[in-house]
Amino acid sequence: MVKLSVIVPVYRVEATLERCVKSIRTQSFTDYELLLVDDGSPDRCPQICDELATQDDRISVIHQANAGLSAARNAGLRVAKGTYVAFVDSDDMLAADTLQPLMDELGRHPEYDIMEFPVRRFIGSPKESVLMFDRHVYANRLDYWLQARAYAHAYAWNKIYRRELFASVTFPVGKVFEDVYTLPLLLQEAKTVATTDKGLYLYCHNAGGITSTADGKMLKQLLDAHLQVLADTAWQHLRDDSRFRAYYAHVLNIQIDVYGLLGGDPGLPYIPTGFPGRNVKLWMVRLMGVRATCRFFKYIHQVLR
């Protein structure tokens, strides 16, 4: 059995696919299988995948009819053999010598079910930045979600997972922001989550990607994912926690954006979160309610256009 399965969904990435695969093949860590999932790509990607597989016996190719990113990741998971699994998007890369220190850390700590590592984000755009982590271990999923602010970087790709976690969890087919739906489910299965300052995922800016082009309906799916998290009764005892207040403010911002684009009834319930401090929006929700707050900011945005 290989130690790690690396799953790369492939769709319309002729310009970046070989660069992505090279960043994996040149890692100092070698005990992995690389699964390229051609999601019915209409360009030369299917041929490129097959050519790459002839160059390295660690590479396997899955060809399927187009069904979306979630379905491609699920297809890879169905055949993955590694003790652990990682995802790399085909327009991104791994920095040199990223996998070895991560897999060494997992070897020293077999109790870790998920390990999150740093990201250089939005490479090639004015928003480029590095998301770093302290070395920390979380035995409670709620602490990880709030203290590490995992809700703000629930990406599938800057983490290594024990593959067994996916025995009862799949990515939601047909959803955008699928990572935000999936990570909370994985955390329910995991006993221990760790963050590390080792390794680096290279997330390249894509002007046509979901993050850059999300419309109101797409943002509504992101909101719905967070509403599912908030519906978990495990949060009840944390509602006066300042970390929960920050999370609620994060979801409130998404709700305000969705209302501004779509209108309708806000799905976010009012949840008392203790003293709002300097957060104006939380004060407004406390005094006016969620709907009135959303209407106010929609009006302000219309005036400022």
Side-chain angles (χ1 to χ4, degrees), residues 83-259:
T83 304
Y84 296 93
V85 63
F87 303 96
V88 179
D89 282 358
S90 45
D91 48 1
D92 297 335
M93 296 173 285
L94 295 178
D97 200 29
T98 283
L99 292 179
Q100 188 67 61
L102 297 177
M103 298 308 296
D104 287 345
E105 187 76 1
L106 288 170
R108 288 189 293 268
H109 296 281
E111 71 275 16
Y112 293 175
D113 294 310
I114 301 174
M115 188 163 64
E116 182 170 24
F117 59 97
V119 187
R120 183 177 293 278
R121 298 187 289 184
F122 308 111
I123 296 172
S125 83
K127 296 168 58 180
E128 183 171 336
S129 62
V130 177
L131 174 65
M132 289 297 297
F133 299 98
D134 295 326
R135 302 185 70 179
H136 199 92
V137 179
Y138 299 89
N140 182 298
R141 64 186 173 94
L142 304 184
D143 285 340
Y144 170 65
W145 190 253
L146 297 179
Q147 185 172 325
R149 299 186 74 247
Y151 56 82
H153 40 85
Y155 317 122
W157 29 253
N158 71 321
K159 301 170 182 68
I160 297 180
Y161 313 82
R162 188 179 307 280
R163 182 169 58 87
E164 293 172 354
L165 298 179
F166 289 94
S168 58
V169 176
T170 56
F171 289 93
V173 176
K175 299 285 189 184
V176 295
F177 297 106
E178 68 290 329
D179 305 353
V180 186
Y181 284 90
T182 307
L183 182 58
L185 299 178
L186 293 170
L187 292 176
Q188 291 181 12
E189 302 296 321
K191 293 182 174 63
T192 305
V193 181
T195 56
T196 180
D197 57 359
K198 304 297 183 183
L200 186 65
Y201 187 94
L202 304 176
Y203 169 37
C204 299
H205 175 67
N206 180 356
I210 293 297
T211 303
S212 302
T213 62
D215 58 18
K217 291 182 179 179
M218 292 177 178
L219 286 177
K220 175 64 164 54
Q221 292 187 30
L222 175 61
L223 174 64
D224 288 344
H226 284 294
L227 294 181
Q228 288 184 18
V229 175
L230 288 171
D232 188 337
T233 56
W235 297 107
Q236 298 292 336
H237 70 287
L238 289 171
R239 289 184 173 181
D240 289 331
D241 189 313
S242 62
R243 301 172 304 168
F244 179 80
R245 188 155 53 248
Y247 175 48
Y248 186 80
H250 175 83
V251 182
L252 175 61
N253 283 330
I254 300 171
Q255 174 64 85
I256 289 171
D257 288 343
V258 170
Y259 184 86

Side-chain angles (χ1 to χ4, degrees), residues 245 248-256 266 268-274 276 279-297:
R245 188 155 53 248
Y248 186 80
H250 175 83
V251 182
L252 175 61
N253 283 330
I254 300 171
Q255 174 64 85
I256 289 171
L268 178 66
Y270 168 63
I271 300 177
T273 59
N279 191 303
V280 173
K281 292 176 182 176
L282 290 181
W283 273 111
M284 292 178 67
V285 167
R286 187 174 187 176
L287 297 172
M288 303 165 50
V290 175
R291 174 188 281 275
T293 301
C294 289
R295 292 178 64 183
F296 173 83
F297 282 101

Side-chain angles (χ1 to χ4, degrees), residues 38-59:
D38 161 37
D39 188 39
S41 189
D43 54 10
R44 288 195 62 255
C45 282
Q47 291 81 9
I48 295 172
C49 287
D50 290 339
E51 290 168 7
L52 290 169
T54 66
Q55 300 170 16
D56 193 324
D57 59 10
R58 294 171 299 183
I59 299 177

